[in-house]
Amino acid sequence: MPTLRGFLWLVILLLCGEALVWALALPVSPGVIGMLLLTLGLTLRGRAGSDIQAASQPLISMLAMLIMPGVVGIFFIADEFSSQWLAVAAALLFGTLASVATTLWLMLRFMPPETTNE
Amino acid sequence: MSDAWGALREQLLATPMLAIALTLAAYFAGSWIFVRLGKPGWCPGILFAAMLLAATLALLGIDYTDYRAGASWLMLLLGPATVALGVPLYQQLPRIRAVWRPLLISLPPAAMLAAFYAVGLAWLLGATPEVLASLAPKSVTAPIAIGITEQLGGVIPLMMGGLLITGVVTTACVSLLARYLQLRDPRVLGFVLGVNGHVIGTVRAFELGPTAGAFASLGMSLTGIFSALFLPLAWRLVGL
């Protein structure tokens, strides 16, 4: 039951996110707003209860599976964009290599060493 | 024979159960291969799973749109799962707060460049505006990226494919760079994985540990929020 109780909280927060996105015409997805609301709520409460943890852990480990139905679409639209596959492949491959390198450089440049913590 | 199969297939596709079963089966088979290969950092398990699933659908002659209609029941859980990321975020809040300044300085250029490199390269190679719009949100988590792509006038399946490739390349690239540069700081690795590799990078970061996972969740959500505000604006300025 703790899992279901936690799941109810997650869904309620998702609905709150949905309401806020609609009311304020935010360009962000309801899930992200819900996540921020959850972080805020837990901070105010001072601890993450066992219900919410029991529901969150399995869902987080399922994330990769949840996007599979969307991503397999790439294998079925390949024909449509076959004339541009080189541009798409190069952009994704080299674009990602470059952006990973840039982010890593930025982080190493600005991030203080771990010991400055606490 | 094939008529009988066609009729049975239609019967089984009447409910979402077949799509759900195929997705779960492909996911577990992909994870099994991933573990048998010794959890290679250069290739996330989801790539095996996605290829297996695509091959199975093609073999069984199931139309992708039919499959997707059924599997959308699974994708519904993406909403609560995104909210759930608030828990690791909360648990790591003290460590995040200690370095909020470097994170906030790094994020906007990192998120802008992630889109800029890919769109720039594709543009140079002669991609159409439709393709450019599908590639722009390639580092943004799926639910936000769908909204952005619609706004820019891109193609959702192409964008989702770009998401898969970006996540896979990010995971591979971060693993290789970390080994080559001897990087172990879970905060840096997690943030880089989340900013560039969205959900797929975040899944990888949770394999590295809870701190890397929390920083990846943070990087992923900040990139999503920033890109949702920035990309439509940039698109209008460039006049695409």
Side-chain angles (χ1 to χ4, degrees):
Chain A
M1 279 305 116
T3 313
L4 265 185
R5 258 201 301 267
F7 187 72
L8 175 60
W9 277 113
L10 294 178
V11 174
I12 289 174
L13 286 168
L14 182 64
L15 291 172
C16 292
E18 197 97 47
L20 276 174
V21 165
W22 173 78
L24 306 175
L26 300 173
V28 188
S29 77
V32 169
I33 301 294
M35 173 178 72
L36 296 175
L37 287 175
L38 176 60
T39 313
L40 184 73
L42 293 176
T43 312
L44 292 177
R45 209 163 151 236
R47 65 186 180 88
S50 54
D51 291 356
I52 202 88
Q53 289 201 32
S56 300
Q57 270 155 10
L59 275 174
I60 290 172
S61 50
M62 269 164 43
L63 269 175
M65 188 269 289
L66 296 179
I67 66 164
M68 271 177 53
V71 299
V72 291
I74 186 76
F75 297 107
F76 298 92
I77 54 152
D79 292 345
E80 216 175 303
F81 296 96
S82 55
S83 60
Q84 301 186 55
W85 72 268
L86 181 70
V88 172
L92 289 171
L93 185 61
F94 295 106
T96 305
L97 288 177
S99 78
V100 167
T102 315
T103 318
L104 204 55
W105 179 81
L106 281 166
M107 288 302 285
L108 293 175
R109 170 84 177 67
F110 292 110
M111 195 76 153
E114 182 89 83
T115 45
T116 55
N117 250 315
E118 269 104 36
Chain B
M1 175 61 206
S2 68
D3 281 354
W5 165 236
L8 176 63
R9 188 172 62 201
E10 202 161 309
Q11 179 62 33
L12 291 178
L13 277 171
T15 71
M17 287 308 161
L18 181 62
I20 292 175
L22 287 176
T23 313
L24 289 175
Y27 175 68
F28 286 120
S31 307
W32 183 79
I33 298 176
F34 179 64
V35 172
R36 287 306 288 268
L37 289 177
K39 301 198 174 191
W42 48 267
C43 184
I46 185 172
L47 186 61
F48 298 119
M51 289 194 301
L52 274 174
L53 184 54
T56 312
L57 293 180
L59 262 173
L60 298 180
I62 296 174
D63 198 49
Y64 175 66
T65 38
D66 289 342
Y67 161 75
R68 209 195 138 98
S72 61
W73 288 86
L74 269 181
M75 290 179 82
L76 263 182
L77 284 176
L78 208 52
T82 312
V83 178
L85 287 171
V87 173
L89 213 53
Y90 161 73
Q91 285 163 340
Q92 297 291 330
L93 213 52
R95 299 183 81 181
I96 292 170
R97 218 179 269 154
V99 289
W100 67 271
R101 214 185 295 256
L103 293 182
L104 232 53
I105 296 173
S106 314
L107 182 89
M112 271 193 252
L113 286 171
F116 173 78
Y117 288 137
V119 172
L121 267 171
W123 180 74
L124 283 176
L125 292 169
T128 56
E130 195 186 29
V131 170
L132 293 182
S134 315
L135 292 180
K138 74 182 187 63
S139 285
V140 180
T141 177
I144 302 184
I146 291 171
I148 297 179
T149 310
E150 278 170 351
Q151 219 173 334
L152 304 184
V155 188
I156 305 262
L158 182 60
M159 180 279 289
M160 290 294 274
L163 236 58
L164 172 69
I165 297 169
T166 304
V168 170
V169 174
T170 301
T171 307
C173 188
V174 171
S175 304
L176 291 177
L177 279 174
R179 199 180 308 160
Y180 182 68
L181 299 171
Q182 309 247 309
L183 292 174
R184 292 222 177 70
D185 192 336
R187 304 168 307 166
V188 171
L189 294 179
F191 198 69
V192 174
L193 279 167
V195 166
N196 294 287
H198 54 93
V199 173
I200 300 179
T202 304
V203 169
R204 171 70 187 155
F206 272 107
E207 285 169 15
L208 297 176
T211 308
F215 274 81
S217 315
L218 182 72
M220 176 177 84
S221 36
L222 289 179
T223 306
I225 296 170
F226 181 80
S227 304
L229 300 169
F230 160 77
L231 281 175
L233 202 69
W235 228 246
R236 215 170 302 158
L237 286 177
V238 180
L240 274 165

